[in-house]
Amino acid sequence: MKKRSMAWLLSAAVLAGSLTGCAGRKEKEPLSYMQEVNEAVKPVKMEDKYRNCYEIFVYSFYDSDGDGIGDLKGVDEKLDYIASLGADQIWLMPVCPSPTYHKYDVTDYMAIDPAYGNLEDFKKLVKDCHKRGISVITDLVLNHTSSEHPWFQEACAYLKEHKGKTDINEKDCPYLSYYQFEKSDHDKNGYARLKGTDYLYEAQFWEGMPDLNLDHPAVRKEIEKITAFWTSLGVDGYRLDATTSYYTGRNSKNIEFMTWLNDMIKKQNKDAYIVGEAWCDSMTYTSFYQSGIDSFFDFDFAGNDGEIAQCVRGTRSAKDFGKSMIWMQDKIAQNGKDGIDAPFYTNHDMARSAGYYAMDDKGEKTKFAEGLNLMMSGNAFLYYGEEIGMKGSGIDENKRAPMYWSKKKSKGTTKGPQGMEAFDMKFAALDKQKKDPYSIYSYVQQALRLRRNFPAIARGDVSMDEDLSNEEVLVIEKKPKSAALSPVVLVYNMSEKQQEVDLSKMAFPQRTLSGVLTVNKKKISLQKERLLMPGRSIAVLTQK
Ligand code: CA
């Protein structure tokens, strides 16, 4: 309570300052309702694996040297922005040398793509992140290499040389066993033909991405060297690309491999955080927690057809959303005792969310969806540009458009991937949104703030008030396992209309309104035990 009255005093002082027209001082906007309530609480610094992670496609983020391509120095220059948004972890999409713009096909696992900079830039970036309390995870693409990787090139050259001969020997060319070569006259699904030979090689994505033979001890040795290298440079963890494809269609093998990978990485760095991409049904990706990998992306909730978007459209009830969160929490706990959910709403493979909703010119649905995502338990992920509701759908290049810093062509703006179509953004650029305390940016900033103010939001086990929850309203408590952290209650109004919640009937003891997310200027009010919630609002309640 004391802290809140301090904020009132502060805003009164700002107001007084602007009234008397302090010389040399720009008139300051009064605090918005969300800022007033949420910024009166001090963020809690936690040293664990629960973070607010910002996913960065370096190519399209910020260009430091004017060649139109984003780079590591550019990310470095924008760390203050990332910190002020409220993120305390970044996930760098692949940074290793690669023939493609997206770099998910690596030609050298222990170097930086020259378009992005060099290893010195990387080391400095990690150091500058750590100075700000931001941890760094990098993309680890182990399912396949680039077809231009020297390992593959050597293996192919050997096979071409020995065309028609029978003396093919692994000892003459160890790289043969790094991949899945197979002699065959017939084409095979998931395989590509090595031109001019009677060999196929496994390439589940496309011919430019030959699958590695992850069973082979020599390949595992290489992986150990690779992760030891990045660990020595200070990275805090990894995002594992395409884990369902490690052994396509063989999930027990996938789990076995990831168990090895997890144990091996954590021997190098016991505190490493690892999150896997398993774009599949939730029964499968929750079973992957058996490997000990910390997190898997929670695809059920993401994208245009996910739980979040369905709730925002009103095609899924508030209570069912609560049930889904509890189902997920139970499934994760059954499979991995220290498993951490990894909620996200969109990523670089999905259409951006600004296109998900009709009749959303003011961005209220877009904001609320971010609220639903960022109030979820676990390590929450936010794809760059979603904090301003950037647009981008159709071909992949469109989903990875230049960060929209400013409407005017400004310093640092990237040119975007070749082949990207021309389209206009739906919502304003960052520079404009930053000045507006009711913008999408400000909303996302407040949501990230709440995650830092109340550790229970990320770390609490969810239980639902069955009686107060219904089609439109959801009431949940989040109780952390650690008794040192206080539980919180979250009340969601998922409808567009005002809802009233009678807290005297609530199963949980929390009664103080300590955090708010609202999509417009309407306020949440608490009169005695009547909580009045405007459409699409979320309240955080704590105990006195
Ligand atoms: Ca550049």
Side-chain angles (χ1 to χ4, degrees):
M1 248 13 242
K2 193 173 165 223
K3 278 167 192 156
R4 184 160 316 155
S5 47
M6 287 286 286
W8 274 107
L9 277 176
L10 186 67
S11 61
V14 169
L15 188 65
S18 64
L19 281 177
T20 51
C22 276
R25 183 163 162 195
K26 215 171 150 190
E27 265 191 36
K28 217 174 165 190
E29 287 281 327
L31 292 177
S32 75
Y33 167 58
M34 280 194 287
Q35 288 167 336
E36 213 172 78
V37 177
N38 301 335
E39 293 176 12
V41 179
K42 209 168 164 248
V44 182
K45 180 81 190 132
M46 300 288 296
E47 294 294 342
D48 59 14
K49 292 183 178 181
Y50 293 79
R51 299 278 173 144
N52 299 337
C53 186
Y54 190 64
E55 178 191 355
I56 300 176
F57 180 42
V58 177
Y59 194 97
S60 287
F61 196 60
Y62 194 82
D63 172 25
S64 73
D65 59 7
D67 67 355
I69 299 174
D71 42 52
L72 296 178
K73 278 185 176 155
V75 176
D76 209 337
E77 276 186 48
K78 286 294 166 185
L79 287 182
D80 286 336
Y81 165 69
I82 293 165
S84 70
L85 175 64
D88 49 14
Q89 181 170 67
I90 56 171
W91 152 23
L92 296 172
M93 284 167 61
V95 294
C96 295
S98 163
T100 59
Y101 80 90
H102 53 71
K103 311 201 189 300
Y104 276 100
D105 44 345
V106 175
T107 55
D108 181 353
Y109 284 98
M110 294 193 271
I112 298 292
D113 192 294
Y116 284 2
N118 56 40
L119 283 169
E120 289 311 308
D121 298 339
F122 185 86
K123 284 186 217 164
K124 182 172 183 302
L125 174 60
V126 171
K127 208 172 128 200
D128 290 344
C129 282
H130 289 171
K131 263 192 240 162
R132 292 167 174 82
I134 297 171
S135 60
V136 181
I137 63 173
T138 55
D139 230 302
L140 197 53
V141 188
L142 299 178
N143 176 64
H144 50 260
T145 67
S146 164
S147 58
E148 294 176 28
H149 194 291
W151 301 337
F152 190 71
Q153 290 286 309
E154 268 195 48
C156 292
Y158 179 85
L159 287 174
K160 282 178 182 168
E161 258 172 51
H162 287 72
K163 197 186 162 191
K165 296 179 188 162
T166 50
D167 59 340
I168 303 263
N169 192 336
E170 233 184 69
K171 286 197 181 102
D172 298 336
C173 177
Y175 298 119
L176 282 178
S177 51
Y178 276 38
Y179 298 91
Q180 310 274 12
F181 288 105
E182 213 177 280
K183 207 169 181 178
S184 173
D185 305 334
H186 308 290
D187 289 345
K188 192 175 158 186
N189 205 13
Y191 282 69
R193 180 158 302 278
L194 178 57
K195 283 187 190 80
T197 73
D198 41 10
Y199 278 89
L200 301 176
Y201 60 92
E202 192 187 6
Q204 295 290 341
F205 289 91
W206 65 291
E207 60 180 16
M209 292 178 170
D211 279 47
L212 281 164
N213 176 8
L214 298 172
D215 257 357
H216 203 280
V219 173
R220 295 206 180 186
K221 269 271 168 275
E222 297 281 4
I223 296 171
E224 271 190 73
K225 272 186 352 206
I226 292 162
T227 54
F229 175 77
W230 293 102
T231 299
S232 77
L233 296 184
V235 306
D236 303 286
Y238 304 98
R239 178 263 185 190
L240 307 178
D241 183 55
T243 63
T244 55
S245 304
Y246 287 159
Y247 298 85
T248 303
R250 296 160 72 196
N251 283 330
S252 56
K253 282 292 289 179
N254 286 329
I255 292 170
E256 193 187 300
F257 173 71
M258 284 190 278
T259 304
W260 169 81
L261 185 64
N262 185 65
D263 292 348
M264 182 274 288
I265 290 172
K266 285 171 186 174
K267 261 180 216 146
Q268 295 172 349
N269 172 12
K270 68 176 172 48
D271 298 321
Y273 170 76
I274 309 173
V275 54
E277 177 210 24
W279 197 345
C280 58
D281 64 280
S282 45
M283 281 303 280
T284 305
Y285 67 74
T286 52
S287 75
F288 282 10
Y289 279 91
Q290 290 164 27
S291 62
I293 297 285
D294 300 283
S295 293
F296 287 88
F297 289 115
D298 204 343
F299 278 90
D300 270 15
F301 288 81
N304 197 9
D305 303 316
E307 297 261 354
I308 291 171
Q310 287 181 43
C311 282
V312 174
R313 286 194 197 101
T315 55
R316 188 158 178 79
S317 81
K319 193 170 185 173
D320 284 342
F321 186 75
K323 283 181 186 164
S324 297
M325 287 196 286
I326 292 168
W327 184 90
M328 194 60 70
Q329 159 181 301
D330 292 346
K331 274 279 165 269
I332 293 172
Q334 284 160 22
N335 285 288
K337 73 173 175 53
D338 299 317
I340 298 169
D341 198 3
F344 72 108
Y345 176 39
T346 64
N347 68 19
H348 60 279
D349 288 322
M350 292 178 175
R352 283 190 179 272
S353 65
Y356 290 3
Y357 311 110
M359 312 282 284
D360 190 34
D361 295 345
K362 291 182 188 154
E364 294 186 359
K365 294 176 188 173
T366 299
K367 287 178 190 170
F368 188 60
E370 289 298 350
L372 293 181
N373 176 39
L374 295 173
M375 290 304 101
M376 282 178 70
S377 301
N379 193 29
F381 287 78
L382 177 74
Y383 182 43
Y384 84 95
E386 290 295 293
E387 73 271 34
I388 51 172
M390 267 173 64
K391 221 170 88 173
S393 61
I395 57 171
D396 281 344
E397 288 79 355
N398 298 352
K399 302 165 187 166
R400 303 160 188 173
M403 175 67 186
Y404 192 33
W405 300 105
S406 173
K407 194 173 178 186
K408 295 186 295 262
K409 177 117 178 84
S410 60
K411 185 185 162 284
T413 300
T414 60
K415 62 185 181 189
Q418 200 183 3
M420 188 186 81
E421 294 161 326
F423 54 93
D424 290 327
M425 289 294 160
K426 180 171 176 178
F427 300 111
L430 177 74
D431 54 356
K432 197 167 167 199
Q433 289 202 30
K434 270 178 103 168
K435 290 180 195 143
D436 173 8
Y438 296 94
S439 64
I440 299 168
Y441 166 81
S442 297
Y443 181 96
V444 170
Q445 190 183 38
Q446 291 299 315
L448 292 169
R449 171 79 184 219
L450 290 181
R451 290 183 75 80
R452 293 183 296 125
N453 285 0
F454 306 103
I457 292 176
R459 296 158 185 85
D461 284 336
V462 177
S463 52
M464 178 162 58
D465 188 317
E466 297 275 348
D467 296 329
L468 287 181
S469 299
N470 55 41
E471 281 284 310
E472 283 136 350
V473 172
L474 172 65
V475 181
I476 55 169
E477 186 189 44
K478 291 199 178 201
K479 197 171 191 172
K481 286 180 185 74
S482 157
L485 299 175
S486 310
V488 293
V489 160
L490 298 181
V491 183
Y492 303 71
N493 173 8
M494 302 226 189
S495 72
E496 341 173 31
K497 300 188 311 272
Q498 178 177 274
Q499 300 284 342
E500 185 180 326
V501 183
D502 183 355
L503 297 184
S504 70
K505 296 192 175 127
M506 190 168 70
F508 312 121
Q510 292 81 352
R511 296 288 188 276
T512 307
L513 181 61
S514 301
V516 292
L517 288 175
T518 51
V519 295
N520 51 39
K521 291 187 179 175
K522 290 183 189 147
K523 298 178 181 182
I524 298 173
S525 73
L526 181 58
Q527 293 155 12
K528 300 233 166 102
E529 300 231 62
R530 285 171 67 229
L531 185 67
L532 287 168
M533 301 190 63
R536 301 196 174 99
S537 62
I538 301 175
V540 182
L541 306 176
T542 57
Q543 252 184 299
K544 279 198 175 77

